[in-house]
Amino acid sequence: MSSPPPSSRPEPKVAYWRQNLMVISVLLTIWAFVAFGCSIFFIEWLNQFQIGNLPLGFWFAQQGSMYVFLVLILVYALVMDYLDRKHDVKE
């Protein structure tokens, strides 16, 4: 079977992909800030606070960034589910 002529093909959902890329950009920015900012650049300032017996900068470098990453995955899944329903995108 041949493909339909270009004029009858459905237009790509530009708004869907624009929002998708915006979500990815925001979440990657948050990830980069936590992974690099909190554990490398702001470690001295964060070390004045403590979680238990550990300095906060050390905690972010070792565990905090992983927890934030897991939360970002959950947020991405929920937001993309919402966008899929909003733009009527089915897998």
Side-chain angles (χ1 to χ4, degrees), residues 27-88:
L27 294 178
L28 282 175
T29 302
I30 293 169
W31 169 80
F33 174 77
V34 170
F36 297 111
C38 293
S39 64
I40 297 173
F41 301 121
F42 304 119
I43 193 165
E44 295 299 324
W45 184 81
L46 288 171
N47 280 341
Q48 66 184 337
F49 307 103
Q50 292 198 354
I51 292 183
N53 292 332
L54 298 174
L56 187 59
F58 175 80
W59 186 84
F60 264 108
Q62 299 302 316
Q63 297 178 22
S65 59
M66 289 186 286
Y67 292 138
V68 170
F69 186 64
L70 290 174
V71 169
L72 291 177
I73 291 171
L74 175 65
V75 168
Y76 177 75
L78 294 173
V79 170
M80 289 311 300
D81 186 50
Y82 167 76
L83 287 178
D84 288 348
R85 283 185 273 115
K86 179 181 173 184
H87 293 281
D88 195 33

